[in-house]
Amino acid sequence: MATALAFSVSPVLAAGGGWNGNGGGALRTTVGADLAAEIRKVSVALRLGWQHETADAARPMTVSFAGAPDNGFTVFAATPQRDSAVLGLAGNAQVAEAVQLYARYDGEMGGGTDNHALTIGLRMTC
């Protein structure tokens, strides 16, 4: 079983081809732990953490299309929570020499604004 303490800083900038804008950035810090184990041909991983949003959480974003820079508009996106719990669980099983089954759950829970993602798949290599 492997254990690691984790710290990350994730800047998110609002930019894209075809539009211009400001006010859509974020800066998140995460502190937590990663645990991993492998039993026979099955590996599992667990991630627990606390995430803190340090940027303006109100998130109004003023944007305009590149073809019409003088016609801007403001978008009010969903307001993220300032603090949230981060949970991740992943599993990977070798079912044949070149075949693996995998599943992964990632969640962010914080005061009414929750995000959940589940990925399940089959990986085959030649």
Side-chain angles (χ1 to χ4, degrees), residues 68-126:
D70 295 330
N71 295 323
F73 54 95
T74 300
V75 177
F76 293 91
T79 303
Q81 293 299 311
R82 182 72 61 191
D83 296 301
S84 59
V86 177
L87 173 66
L89 180 62
N92 188 1
Q94 188 83 32
V95 294
E97 185 176 328
V99 180
Q100 294 178 343
L101 291 173
Y102 63 90
R104 180 181 182 102
Y105 166 78
D106 290 299
E108 179 183 325
M109 289 72 65
T113 304
D114 297 346
N115 295 304
H116 303 278
L118 179 64
T119 306
I120 299 172
L122 173 71
R123 183 178 297 123
M124 297 177 4
T125 58
C126 298

Side-chain angles (χ1 to χ4, degrees), residues 13-24 60-75:
L13 303 174
W19 62 275
N20 302 311
N22 62 42
M61 186 184 318
T62 303
V63 296
S64 65
F65 293 106
D70 295 330
N71 295 323
F73 54 95
T74 300
V75 177

Side-chain angles (χ1 to χ4, degrees), residues 48-65:
L48 298 170
W50 171 71
Q51 185 169 278
H52 181 72
E53 174 66 59
T54 58
D56 180 16
R59 295 248 203 271
M61 186 184 318
T62 303
V63 296
S64 65
F65 293 106

